[in-house]
Amino acid sequence: MNVTPDNLRTALLAARLGTDAAQAAHQDRSTGESRQMDMEVRSLTKPQLRLEEYFPGRTRAYGIFQDRFGKLRRRFLVEIAGTLNGSLLTLVENFCYDDGEREQRTWSIKCLDHGLYEGHTDGVLGTAQGAGQENVLNWSYSFALPIGERRWKVRFNDWFFLHEDDVLFNRAEISKFGIRLGEATMVFHKLD
């Protein structure tokens, strides 16, 4: 999906109001035809979310994974070390799950103009794409998720919201063939 200001606004609206409300704002229910949005998405103007400003240094995240029925399946902690070299942001993420499993993932994220980002890590199919506006950022990608002995091709749709005191909230929906499998929720805190 190419990120444009219009579909970013629609997605931001969906994240804030829910999918049904966003569809209602974009679609006439009787005809199913698209129409102009009647309301504007209201993001906080401060603090501004820029990955290249937030993630250099050490960050800690606390997270949970819930299945599509809302049942808590996993808790985890992530220790993140970020470095910025020009326009390339590197994030080394060390996951520790409540069942003792450990995992490391290294993201290479290219910071483009106008709040746009492209990234890659092992398991990403193609290129992850991100678009930010004010304190909100959408990050989406296809991923080969290990499930037992197999790998499932799933879609991640992450929404980041930056709050005061360098607290970053992330909600990621995971889906396969358009069917929601579950949701990961994370809260990030800067350590330095």
Side-chain angles (χ1 to χ4, degrees):
M1 174 178 119
N2 290 333
V3 178
T4 66
D6 285 338
N7 62 22
L8 177 61
R9 279 190 288 277
T10 303
L12 291 172
L13 182 65
R16 291 188 186 259
L17 301 179
T19 304
D20 293 338
Q23 288 173 344
H26 256 301
Q27 208 171 55
D28 182 311
R29 287 189 185 269
S30 61
T31 65
E33 294 178 14
S34 293
R35 62 181 170 90
Q36 292 286 63
M37 263 196 270
D38 296 332
M39 62 180 74
E40 290 184 21
V41 175
R42 300 197 195 299
S43 297
L44 299 172
T45 57
K46 291 184 180 177
Q48 296 286 312
L49 176 56
R50 300 288 177 264
L51 298 181
E52 63 272 29
E53 294 172 5
Y54 186 84
F55 279 108
R58 295 181 318 127
T59 307
R60 179 175 292 145
Y62 301 88
I64 61 171
F65 175 76
Q66 295 171 279
D67 66 20
R68 64 183 172 178
F69 304 109
K71 184 175 180 179
L72 180 64
R73 294 294 183 172
R74 271 186 130 173
R75 294 182 327 152
F76 54 92
L77 172 73
V78 188
E79 298 286 346
I80 304 164
T83 56
L84 183 65
N85 186 2
S87 64
L88 182 65
L89 176 64
T90 302
L91 301 178
V92 178
E93 301 174 326
N94 289 295
F95 289 80
C96 181
Y97 296 94
D98 59 352
D99 61 4
E101 181 183 350
R102 294 184 179 274
E103 177 182 14
Q104 185 178 77
R105 185 173 300 141
T106 301
W107 280 96
S108 295
I109 301 170
K110 188 171 181 182
C111 305
L112 307 172
D113 293 332
H114 310 294
L116 299 177
Y117 299 90
E118 291 180 348
H120 192 273
T121 188
D122 287 343
V124 166
L125 306 171
T127 302
Q129 293 185 337
Q133 179 178 315
E134 298 174 351
N135 70 313
V136 179
L137 182 124
N138 178 236
W139 183 249
S140 62
Y141 54 96
S142 293
F143 190 78
L145 184 67
I147 305 289
E149 298 295 317
R150 302 178 60 196
R151 290 193 175 266
W152 287 15
K153 180 182 177 184
V154 298
R155 186 85 186 150
F156 277 77
N157 187 25
D158 287 60
W159 286 95
F160 292 87
F161 300 89
L162 182 60
H163 294 272
E164 288 76 20
D165 300 323
D166 284 332
V167 175
L168 182 62
F169 177 77
N170 171 235
R171 183 175 148 245
E173 184 176 280
I174 300 108
S175 61
K176 182 172 176 61
F177 302 124
I179 299 169
R180 184 174 175 268
L181 300 177
E183 183 174 291
T185 305
M186 298 172 68
V187 177
F188 297 79
H189 297 278
K190 292 291 297 168
L191 298 178
D192 55 30

